[in-house]
Amino acid sequence: MSGKTPKVVIVGAGSAGLMLADGIADRADVTIVEGGIDPGSPAPRQLLYDYIFPAGLDWGYRSTKGVPLLRGKVVGGSSSVNSSAGVRGQQWDFDPWGEGWTWADCLPALRANETDLQFGDADHHGDSGPIVMTRLKPGPIDDAFTAACLAAGHPEAPDHNAPGALGIGPWPTNRVDEGRWGTLAGVMPGLRGRVTLLAETTAHRVVITDGRARGVEVTEAGESGTRVLPADVVVLSAGAFGTPELLIASGVDLPGVGEHLQDHPWVMLNALADPDLIAERPVSGSLLRCGLGGDPREEIQVFPFSAHLYDTSRPVGEVSFAVGLMAPRSRGSLRVTPDGTAIDLGHLAEEIDRRSLAEGVRIAADLLDRVAATGVVTIPDNPWWRGDDLEQQVVARAETYNHPVGTARLGDDDDPTAVVDRRLRVRGVDGLMVADASVMPAITRANTNLATMMIGRRAADLIEL
């Protein structure tokens, strides 16, 4: 494309899309299409400090079981409305992704994206990126939970983003002054004036002629008709639900589109505590990561947090001990039907997942008993986790951790289920890429936001301009 400034249209101003835009804004004419609002810079207080999902900022997805699947419809995407859980994943998460996506390949982008306030001088961390990482002062419940974990033989883990870290330690979290620091707060201010942002604009399809992406058909805010934004390169960064919807709407008929959906299922062990103790650190306090049966690859998370913080219908004195299954085998799917988008999360479809989550609950229940023995929390009478058929109980109670990935997965040329190649190019369509969580070949054993930001940063290196 020598001789002219290439035009790039990015669909989705979320965790990956804004990182990609930041990486190419000085060498391309970049337009970002975002269906949600632009709250402006600096980010408003509500999107920094509130935990109740903001009304009107959800894409409205539902699973085939009718469960809400919250996705942020706002600049910054879900990083503007999530809990700012900042765990990257393990090196053994990335190495199986293969050539170009191993831990060694991904680490430079992970480092470039962050400023780690405690460990920025370590080789595996960054100290000058736009996403500020920190660890917050624990509260009394975190202290009791940490003591219980140590007494049970779990090691200390002061930095959960150190390679191979497992054990009990503070949550890494992307926050500034305890406020949520996603791509809206951390990246968008530096993009203003460098890119064109079309907020509240609906992307209908990628216009493809003669095997090449030519632009994106959109309806802009306040308009009733459509127009085509011309582009030399189109990048879909609309997320694990939005990206396959757009591929299907654009006539991209590849067998892997919408398949291989993965998500972390989790369950809650709820106890009671003094509301004042909960309030001292209601979220992002302590985190246990451990491997079932001594195998670090069979990872679970266990951590306490305030249920009331996210759902005001819950008692203010309720504390949830969450158990997340971080290495699920089960797969779901996304289908576009005449009746709408059908999303089957596939939670616990595989027997090994049911056994593993039940075992994780047993571990958490033992820790909760230890915490209760100190008097910090009270376990309710006849808790569900002490019932007869624990596997049946976890199947009935499993919820989404809201980490969908894999619906346009990357892979080798001989993999018929791979939607994009190792440079994130959509197979069979020139000038079309995907850069978001949908390209993950397998879910990370971690909250997926930092890995998604990394994919956006890597895409800036891989895009051909």
Side-chain angles (χ1 to χ4, degrees):
M1 300 181 188
S2 58
K4 66 171 185 174
T5 301
K7 292 182 178 293
V8 178
V9 174
I10 301 170
V11 180
S15 296
L18 291 187
M19 282 298 185
L20 166 60
D22 185 54
I24 65 172
D26 297 330
R27 52 193 174 99
D29 179 356
V30 177
T31 298
I32 309 173
V33 176
E34 170 54 46
I37 65 168
D38 175 14
S41 296
R45 182 176 179 83
Q46 177 193 26
L47 293 179
L48 295 177
Y49 293 101
D50 286 4
Y51 288 91
I52 301 296
F53 204 97
L57 300 189
D58 177 29
W59 279 96
Y61 291 108
R62 297 293 185 271
S63 76
T64 51
K65 296 181 178 180
V67 176
L69 304 175
L70 301 176
R71 299 281 90 195
K73 190 177 183 180
V74 58
V75 172
S78 294
S79 79
S80 295
V81 293
N82 65 12
S83 296
S84 299
V87 183
R88 293 172 170 176
Q90 304 283 11
Q91 64 264 46
W92 46 80
D93 290 331
F94 299 101
D95 286 344
W97 289 13
E99 181 182 354
W101 293 92
T102 66
W103 171 253
D105 296 318
C106 295
L107 182 58
L110 289 165
R111 295 183 64 215
N113 283 351
E114 74 171 13
T115 293
D116 192 296
L117 297 184
Q118 286 79 37
F119 300 100
D121 58 350
D123 290 342
H124 52 276
H125 278 299
D127 60 5
S128 58
I131 302 300
V132 177
M133 300 298 304
T134 191
R135 289 115 189 119
L136 303 178
K137 184 179 184 297
I141 294 173
D142 298 301
D143 290 339
F145 179 65
T146 296
C149 291
L150 294 174
H154 297 287
E156 289 188 89
D159 176 15
H160 272 302
N161 283 331
L166 290 170
I168 178 65
W171 265 106
T173 180
N174 46 298
R175 297 174 191 267
V176 172
D177 295 330
E178 300 220 8
R180 182 185 293 112
W181 205 254
T183 53
L184 169 64
V187 179
M188 194 63 220
L191 280 174
R192 298 190 187 277
R194 299 168 61 209
V195 303
T196 299
L197 173 64
L198 301 179
E200 300 179 75
T201 296
T202 301
H204 298 290
R205 66 184 179 99
V206 181
V207 177
I208 301 171
T209 58
D210 300 323
R212 183 171 190 88
R214 307 291 180 177
V216 180
E217 182 183 354
V218 302
T219 298
E220 294 184 60
E223 301 293 331
S224 58
T226 66
R227 74 178 179 105
V228 174
L229 304 175
D232 297 301
V233 180
V234 174
V235 186
L236 300 182
S237 297
F241 301 150
T243 284
E245 286 181 319
L246 281 168
L247 289 171
I248 293 167
S250 306
V252 177
D253 185 18
L254 293 170
V257 176
E259 301 297 324
H260 307 287
L261 173 61
Q262 273 193 291
D263 180 43
H264 296 128
W266 67 352
V267 293
M268 306 296 162
L269 283 62
N270 294 326
L272 299 176
D274 183 335
D276 291 336
L277 295 184
I278 297 174
E280 288 193 41
R281 176 53 60 211
V283 70
S284 299
S286 54
L287 168 65
L288 172 68
R289 301 164 74 203
C290 65
L292 299 175
D295 185 348
R297 287 166 173 76
E298 300 297 333
E299 187 173 323
I300 62 166
Q301 289 184 355
V302 184
F303 58 93
F305 72 98
S306 166
H308 180 80
L309 192 67
Y310 296 90
D311 180 359
T312 54
S313 70
R314 307 298 300 180
V316 68
E318 185 174 77
V319 57
S320 293
F321 287 76
V323 185
L325 182 65
M326 308 310 290
R329 269 63 162 193
S330 302
R331 299 289 192 277
S333 64
L334 178 148
R335 304 274 195 276
V336 176
T337 75
D339 297 323
T341 300
I343 302 172
D344 176 9
L345 294 176
H347 281 166
L348 306 181
E350 298 291 335
E351 181 181 0
I352 187 173
D353 287 351
R354 298 192 290 273
R355 291 200 312 265
S356 295
L357 186 53
E359 180 58 27
V361 169
R362 292 186 186 97
I363 291 171
D366 172 70
L367 296 170
L368 182 51
D369 284 344
R370 293 171 186 263
V371 175
T374 70
V376 173
V377 303
T378 300
I379 298 174
D381 294 335
N382 302 314
W384 66 264
W385 55 90
R386 292 179 183 163
D388 292 334
D389 190 340
L390 196 52
E391 287 187 30
Q392 185 178 16
Q393 287 286 345
V394 298
V395 169
R397 296 172 181 276
E399 303 174 17
T400 175
Y401 204 167
N402 288 306
H403 297 155
V405 307
T407 49
R409 61 194 295 269
L410 68 87
D412 293 321
D413 292 340
D414 60 357
D415 182 353
T417 69
V419 176
V420 301
D421 67 12
R422 296 198 168 279
R423 297 187 66 85
L424 304 182
R425 300 173 296 195
V426 174
R427 299 191 183 285
V429 184
D430 293 335
L432 179 59
M433 298 176 64
V434 174
D436 58 28
S438 67
V439 306
M440 294 188 192
I443 197 167
T444 56
R445 294 165 176 82
N447 313 71
T448 50
N449 197 30
L450 293 190
T452 302
M453 292 182 189
M454 176 276 295
I455 289 168
R457 184 68 63 181
R458 291 277 292 127
D461 295 332
L462 297 173
I463 193 170
E464 297 171 351
L465 299 176

